[in-house]
Amino acid sequence: MSSYQTRRRLYALSGAFLTAVAAAVAVLLGGGLLAASVLTIQVLMIGLAGICDLVAATGGLGGWAWYRWGGLGNILLGLSLPLGFVGTSWDSILLLATGLGGLSLTAMGIDLVAFHGRYTKQAPLDEQNQ
């Protein structure tokens, strides 16, 4: 099995997990989810990140390569992470920590979407034998 097939399988696992988490939170909170707009945005972004990862696992869609869909999923997940601590009593410490973690995920995602993984992988993914 090649390296890119392994990566795509990992995207399937993360996509299924993220989509399931977003769906579970939406079901558990029900109408209360809409009462907290920041939480609503966070859950929506996590769900969209999971869907992007699932599309990446299938090989891509709409002319975009699989790794670009995975990169978009990373961007959405990275941007959603700090939203969970906005307005909490721990917001300065945890917001900073999740913001830094989210920033690294977002940067990796931007690299995959815009630069074909040139900066986070040893060679650009579009130049590898896929």
Side-chain angles (χ1 to χ4, degrees):
M1 177 181 312
S2 69
S3 170
Y4 86 93
Q5 288 173 325
T6 302
R7 288 183 199 154
R8 283 180 44 196
R9 286 187 181 184
L10 289 174
Y11 276 119
L13 290 173
S14 68
F17 175 74
L18 292 173
T19 305
V21 165
V25 168
V27 167
L28 288 174
L29 294 180
L33 179 63
L34 296 176
S37 60
V38 174
L39 182 60
T40 303
I41 293 169
Q42 183 182 33
V43 171
L44 181 63
M45 289 175 76
I46 290 171
L48 289 173
I51 291 169
C52 287
D53 284 354
L54 289 171
V55 171
T58 65
L61 181 70
W64 261 25
W66 64 271
Y67 55 85
R68 285 186 161 184
W69 283 102
L72 182 58
N74 285 351
I75 292 169
L76 289 167
L77 182 61
L79 293 175
S80 75
L81 287 179
L83 294 178
F85 296 104
V86 171
T88 65
S89 60
W90 289 85
D91 67 339
S92 18
I93 296 169
L94 293 176
L95 186 61
L96 178 65
T98 57
L100 289 174
L103 183 63
S104 65
L105 266 175
T106 302
M108 289 188 306
I110 290 171
D111 179 48
L112 288 170
V113 170
F115 304 107
H116 306 279
R118 178 175 292 119
Y119 300 105
T120 56
K121 311 292 180 199
Q122 292 178 348
L125 292 170
D126 61 339
E127 295 175 4
Q128 294 178 0
N129 184 14
Q130 297 183 28

